[in-house]
């Protein structure tokens, strides 16, 4: 009995400490947390901003500042170059608030998260592909948005990266005498990115590649 009594006493003490700590932490109201998060964000202390805005979102989910907190958490991750976390946060914001006026901005930022991960043409082309998808979606759904014009500037770089990647792969197949595979890549490049300089190079190689492919 003494051991059982001691056990419950310890549990109650620990619970009391936890409750006291939580109560102490939540002495900050929603306005104070907004102020703390905004100050940290402006000064570039994005980790502190994430903490403040996350506390605001968790402690005061029905506050008028909760939506702002969700968006600023995503923005903070973006500035920290934590692009995976930022994408998740932006996508969650869009899912929860599809009619919010900030959605064009959110779609643009999702595109930028991918765009900022663009690599050389011989590497994974997923970032270029995904960023192009988001930028095109932005232009189609929100053509009048100020972010649509910014997206157009980045689309050119995405296309250049993707067409360069296709040409790189096609040339690799050609050099390794996999002519049928090379031909498919050249034809896909011409069809998908007809205005690119890579497309012109592919057009020049298609006749010879086709002839070689037919021999095999």
């Amino acid at each position: 009995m003494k051991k059982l009594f001691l056990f419950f006493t310890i549990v109650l003490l620990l619970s009391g400490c936890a409750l006291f700590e939580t109560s102490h932490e939540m002495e900050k109201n929603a306005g104070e947390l907004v102020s703390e998060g905004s100050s940290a964000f402006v000064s570039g202390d994005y980790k502190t901003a994430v903490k403040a805005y996350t506390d605001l979102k968790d402690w005061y989910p029905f506050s008028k500042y909760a939506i702002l907190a969700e968006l600023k958490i995503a923005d903070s991750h973006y500035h920290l170059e934590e692009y995976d976390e930022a994408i998740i946060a932006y996508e969650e914001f869009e899912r929860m608030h599809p009619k919010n006026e900030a959605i064009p901005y959110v779609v643009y930022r999702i595109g930028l998260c991918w765009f900022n991960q663009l690599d050389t043409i011989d590497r994974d082309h997923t970032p270029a592909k995904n960023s192009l998808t988001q930028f095109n979606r932005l232009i189609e759904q929100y053509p009048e948005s100020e972010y649509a014009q910014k997206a157009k500037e980045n689309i050119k770089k995405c296309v250049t990266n993707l067409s360069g990647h296709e040409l790189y792969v096609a040339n690799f197949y050609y050099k390794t005498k996999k002519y049928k595979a090379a031909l498919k890549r050249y034809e896909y490049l011409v069809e998908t990115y007809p205005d690119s300089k890579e497309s012109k190079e592919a057009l020049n190689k298609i006749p010879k590649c086709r002839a070689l492919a037919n021999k095999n």
Side-chain angles (χ1 to χ4, degrees):
M1 286 294 293
K2 287 183 178 180
K3 289 183 178 179
L4 187 61
F5 176 77
L6 181 61
F7 171 76
F8 281 114
T9 301
I10 293 172
V11 169
L12 286 171
L13 286 172
L14 290 174
S15 299
C17 290
L19 288 170
F20 176 78
E21 183 179 351
T22 302
S23 175
H24 177 71
E25 287 177 345
M26 289 186 66
E27 284 179 3
K28 294 178 181 177
N29 59 40
E32 289 172 331
L33 287 170
V34 167
S35 179
E36 182 181 325
S38 298
S39 178
F41 189 91
V42 170
S43 64
D45 184 3
Y46 300 113
K47 288 189 179 295
T48 298
V50 168
K51 175 66 168 60
Y53 285 125
T54 299
D55 287 344
L56 171 58
K57 183 171 71 78
D58 292 344
W59 297 349
Y60 306 101
F62 302 110
S63 164
K64 63 180 181 179
Y65 302 116
I67 292 179
L68 172 66
E70 292 173 22
L71 191 57
K72 286 300 183 182
I73 289 169
D75 285 341
S76 296
H77 284 305
Y78 174 85
H79 286 293
L80 287 167
E81 298 184 6
E82 297 172 346
Y83 296 123
D84 289 344
E85 291 86 346
I87 289 170
I88 291 171
Y90 284 128
E91 289 179 340
E92 178 66 9
F93 183 93
E94 184 178 11
R95 188 181 71 81
M96 295 297 294
H97 316 289
K99 302 297 183 182
N100 190 278
E101 62 182 10
I103 294 301
Y105 167 80
V106 167
V107 176
Y108 177 63
R109 279 298 182 118
I110 294 173
L112 281 183
C113 284
W114 288 112
F115 183 80
N116 290 343
Q117 299 180 74
L118 257 63
D119 210 331
T120 53
I121 59 173
D122 59 322
R123 304 298 292 274
D124 182 18
H125 67 298
T126 300
K129 200 171 183 178
N130 288 347
S131 58
L132 182 62
T133 297
Q134 294 299 326
F135 291 144
N136 281 331
R137 180 165 75 96
L138 174 60
I139 292 170
E140 290 171 7
Q141 295 181 1
Y142 308 98
E144 303 302 320
S145 167
E146 63 179 294
Y147 300 105
Q149 186 57 45
K150 294 180 179 180
K152 290 177 182 178
E153 298 171 6
N154 291 332
I155 282 176
K156 295 177 182 178
K157 294 180 180 179
C158 292
V159 170
T160 296
N161 186 279
L162 288 167
S163 59
H165 175 79
E166 289 300 326
L167 183 62
Y168 173 84
V169 174
N171 286 341
F172 173 79
Y173 283 137
Y174 186 89
K175 290 175 183 177
T176 55
K177 298 182 179 181
K178 297 177 181 177
Y179 300 117
K180 290 182 180 179
L183 181 60
K184 287 183 179 179
R185 287 284 186 164
Y186 286 134
E187 289 176 339
Y188 174 80
L189 172 53
V190 171
E191 181 182 349
T192 309
Y193 309 108
D195 298 324
S196 66
K197 65 181 181 64
E198 289 81 7
S199 175
K200 295 177 182 177
E201 184 175 338
L203 276 171
N204 291 331
K205 291 191 174 183
I206 283 176
K208 186 176 181 180
C209 187
R210 183 176 289 126
L212 291 168
N214 290 333
K215 285 182 180 180
N216 297 328

